[in-house]
């Protein structure tokens, strides 16, 4: 297939599939996703340098993730108001400069402030970058485009412990941030050349009540999830989460009546987009818990070293990459509905099998199981990333993209919080073996049951949901039977 594919739209504009642009955006995503979790292995070294307790350093990770989550709802308006290329390039510049500030930090306060600035850049990079790619991609090439955009979210959580550990061990924790400088500079120059220049809309007004309610709601939910995973005995987690849900409910009520809403909530009337917010949210929640549960089970439950656990976790990475060339052909052959049902069911089975692992399980068998888990994970992520935009009209693309990015952040945070709560809930429960890995077995089984809710949601999708994207050739020859 040619490097580009042009399709004339009814509006008179032309969409051009540009793999280089998609790869650029994916690379910036990888930087943003990686920096969200890469500090985990460097926390002891940072604490030693700053002469503070290791637990205090967690604030730098929380501040970053919270800033990204809170900043995403505003990003769509910024792209419409000032132009996507301008905002995307600014986001890369802010992220890169903030990375330099992080590496030069002399105390915890400076590092935390720099991480907030870094999160500000990240909050604009992800949704605006996605919007740039989606706007320039005809639906017949949407599967290929999302294949580029999905891999950072798949690989970053798996590679973060390895990357952070390597830099911290052989160089210093500062290199976790310094590596972003050449990458960010190259991305900025490339973005300026590749991203099409589009004029902003100076008259586009900002829905201030909608923005304040949405950011307050998302922020309170993220804080509640963080507290639930770190301080479950305190009431503040529930209070914060409830307040966040109430604020988001108020935001929805406001935007449904507003003449100039922050988001066009009409996107939820599209069944294929709604699948991302229902079964897709559950799928991301459960899948996001695995990079959290597996290393803990291997180290605390099996007594493995961090290096041993990290090497075994690399099997998930191999599965992600190995299946990627086949993901698009599989979706084109069987359709979105079949692949979403398969990916969720197969993932649930791998969770059950993970619960049956023991330290005596042959290493090759454990490795093979995790390779399969990574492959099914990749298929599901790719299918949801594509089907959500399959039936979205161009006028709704900005709202759909921003809502999706917000739900992705919440889904990832919810998965880790739920996994942490499950481990505590099964600890000491008589129904499970009282060995060190017992609580983790219970958590994996619970996640398997939860994953079946995603399967059930996918079963209710129309048979040929998203066919314009998954089977464009069939659509050009006529409608398929129901």
């Amino acid at each position: 297939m040619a490097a580009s594919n042009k399709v004339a739209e009814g509006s008179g504009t032309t969409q051009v599939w540009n793999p280089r642009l998609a790869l650029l955006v994916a690379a910036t995503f990888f930087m943003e996703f990686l920096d969200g979790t890469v500090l985990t292995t460097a926390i002891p070294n940072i604490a030693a340098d700053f002469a503070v307790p290791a637990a205090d350093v967690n604030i730098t990770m929380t501040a970053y993730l919270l800033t990204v989550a809170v900043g995403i709802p505003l990003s769509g308006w910024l792209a419409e108001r000032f132009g996507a290329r301008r905002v995307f390039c600014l986001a890369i510049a802010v992220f890169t400069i903030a990375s330099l500030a992080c590496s030069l930090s002399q105390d915890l306060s400076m590092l935390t402030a720099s991480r907030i600035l870094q999160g500000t850049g990240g909050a604009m990079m992800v949704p605006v970058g996605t919007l740039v790619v989606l706007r320039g991609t005809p639906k017949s090439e949407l599967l290929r485009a999302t294949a580029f955009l999905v891999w950072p979210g798949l690989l970053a959580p798996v590679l973060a412990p390895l990357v952070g550990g390597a830099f911290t061990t052989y160089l210093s924790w500062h290199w976790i941030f310094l590596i972003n400088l050449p990458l960010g500079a190259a991305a900025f120059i490339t973005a300026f050349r590749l991203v099409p220049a589009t004029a902003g809309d100076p008259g586009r007004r900002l829905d201030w009540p909608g923005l304040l309610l949405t950011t307050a709601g998302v922020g309170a939910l993220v804080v509640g999830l963080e507290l639930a995973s770190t301080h479950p005995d305190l009431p503040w987690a529930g209070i914060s989460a409830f307040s966040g849900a109430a604020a988001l409910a108020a935001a929805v009520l406001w935007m449904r009546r507003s003449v100039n809403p922050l988001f066009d909530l009409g996107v939820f009337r599209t069944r294929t987009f709604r699948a991302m917010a229902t079964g897709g949210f559950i799928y991301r929640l459960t899948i996001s818990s695995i990079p959290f549960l597996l290393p803990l089970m291997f180290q605390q439950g099996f007594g493995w070293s961090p290096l041993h656990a990290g090497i075994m976790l690399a099997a998930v990475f191999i599965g992600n990459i190995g299946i990627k060339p086949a993901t698009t052909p599989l979706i084109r052959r069987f359709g979105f509905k079949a692949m979403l049902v398969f990916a969720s069911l197969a993932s649930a089975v791998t969770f059950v099998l993970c619960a049956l692992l023991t330290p005596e399980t042959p290493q090759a068998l454990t490795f093979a199981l995790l390779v399969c888990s990574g492959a099914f994970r990749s298929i599901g992520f790719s299918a949801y990333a594509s089907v959500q935009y399959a039936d979205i009209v161009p006028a709704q693309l900005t709202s759909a993209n921003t809502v999706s990015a917000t739900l992705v952040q919440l889904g990832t945070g919810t998965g880790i919080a739920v996994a942490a709560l499950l481990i505590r809930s099964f600890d000491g429960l008589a129904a499970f073996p009282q060995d060190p890995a017992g609580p983790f077995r219970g958590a994996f089984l619970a996640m398997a049951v939860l994953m079946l809710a995603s399967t059930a949601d996918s079963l209710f999708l129309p048979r040929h949901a998203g066919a314009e994207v998954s089977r464009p050739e069939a659509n050009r020859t006529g409608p398929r039977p129901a």
Side-chain angles (χ1 to χ4, degrees):
M1 185 173 290
S4 64
N5 187 353
K6 299 184 179 181
V7 176
E9 298 293 318
S11 61
T13 60
T14 301
Q15 290 182 303
V16 182
W17 158 238
N18 188 339
R20 293 183 300 164
L21 178 58
L23 186 60
L24 163 68
V25 173
T28 62
F29 289 4
F30 186 75
M31 287 195 300
E32 192 273 326
F33 292 146
L34 189 68
D35 275 38
T37 52
V38 73
L39 273 188
T40 304
T41 51
I43 284 177
N45 298 72
I46 296 173
D49 279 3
F50 293 161
V52 297
D56 291 356
V57 182
N58 284 328
I59 187 62
T60 62
M61 294 180 61
T62 303
Y64 177 85
L65 295 174
L66 179 60
T67 305
V68 170
V70 169
I72 284 175
L74 180 61
S75 63
W77 179 84
L78 288 173
E80 294 289 342
R81 173 64 178 80
F82 298 102
R85 183 174 78 165
R86 187 177 299 172
V87 175
F88 186 56
C89 290
L90 175 64
I92 296 173
V94 170
F95 188 88
T96 305
I97 293 170
S99 297
L100 176 61
C102 288
S103 69
L104 298 176
S105 296
Q106 300 299 308
D107 55 41
L108 187 59
S109 298
M110 183 177 176
L111 179 60
T112 303
S114 300
R115 289 283 279 173
I116 291 173
L117 182 62
Q118 194 182 37
T120 302
M124 293 186 289
M125 263 197 321
V126 173
V128 176
T130 302
L131 185 63
V132 165
V133 174
L134 293 177
R135 279 180 172 172
T137 303
K139 288 191 175 181
S140 61
E141 298 292 347
L142 188 58
L143 273 173
R144 293 181 65 197
T146 53
F148 281 84
L149 301 181
V150 163
W151 69 263
L154 289 169
L155 303 188
V158 179
L159 291 182
L162 184 62
V163 172
F167 279 141
T168 304
T169 301
Y170 299 107
L171 297 170
S172 73
W173 64 265
H174 305 81
W175 282 93
I176 291 174
F177 302 108
L178 288 173
I179 192 64
N180 288 333
L181 301 187
L183 297 177
F188 181 87
I189 295 171
T190 308
F192 195 78
R193 293 178 176 176
L194 286 183
V195 177
T198 55
D201 180 5
R204 187 172 182 84
R205 298 172 58 190
L206 179 60
D207 175 16
W208 283 103
L211 176 65
L212 293 175
L213 287 170
T214 302
T215 53
V218 171
L221 272 178
V222 171
V223 170
L225 293 171
E226 178 69 17
L227 290 174
S229 60
T230 55
H231 301 88
D233 299 329
L234 299 178
W236 300 112
I239 294 173
S240 182
F242 178 81
S243 300
L248 288 178
V252 169
L253 291 175
W254 167 264
M255 284 186 278
R256 288 179 64 181
R257 300 176 182 179
S258 174
V259 296
N260 182 41
L262 182 66
F263 306 133
D264 178 5
L265 297 180
V267 294
F268 286 104
R269 289 195 288 269
T270 303
R271 180 63 181 93
T272 46
F273 181 81
R274 198 164 65 247
M276 176 278 303
T278 52
F281 185 85
I282 297 171
Y283 185 86
R284 182 171 289 276
L285 184 158
T286 52
I287 289 295
S288 297
S289 70
I290 304 309
F292 174 79
L293 287 172
L294 278 175
L296 286 178
M297 184 173 78
F298 289 155
Q299 294 177 65
Q300 298 180 16
F302 294 0
W304 291 0
S305 69
L307 179 61
H308 189 176
I311 292 173
M312 192 60 70
L313 196 62
V316 178
F317 163 80
I318 293 173
N320 289 336
I321 292 297
I323 197 64
K324 185 55 65 182
T327 300
T328 295
L330 284 171
I331 295 175
R332 291 204 187 280
R333 172 65 180 84
F334 297 104
F336 283 113
K337 178 178 180 176
M339 295 315 300
L340 288 173
V341 170
F342 168 76
S344 56
L345 271 178
S347 295
V349 171
T350 62
F351 295 169
V352 173
L353 294 178
C354 283
L356 300 178
L357 293 175
T358 68
E360 290 74 35
T361 303
Q363 300 279 296
L365 191 60
T366 301
F367 196 87
L369 171 61
L370 298 188
V371 169
C372 292
S373 178
F376 303 146
R377 183 172 181 255
S378 183
I379 292 172
F381 268 112
S382 297
Y384 274 118
S386 300
V387 76
Q388 65 182 334
Y389 300 115
D391 302 314
I392 292 294
V393 297
Q396 292 181 319
L397 190 56
T398 299
S399 292
N401 177 58
T402 310
V403 170
S404 173
T406 302
L407 290 176
V408 164
Q409 286 293 124
L410 291 178
T412 302
T414 303
I416 296 173
V418 170
L421 288 175
L422 286 173
I423 293 171
R424 292 185 176 89
S425 299
F426 285 105
D427 191 14
L429 199 63
F432 286 85
Q434 295 307 299
D435 66 298
F440 300 99
R441 302 186 203 286
F444 273 113
L445 292 176
M447 284 296 178
V449 173
L450 187 58
M451 178 62 87
L452 295 179
S454 176
T455 305
D457 182 77
S458 297
L459 286 171
F460 285 101
L461 279 171
R463 181 183 175 189
H464 295 294
E468 185 179 356
V469 170
S470 62
R471 300 177 183 180
E473 296 83 3
N475 273 286
R476 284 195 290 268
T477 60
R480 297 181 62 90

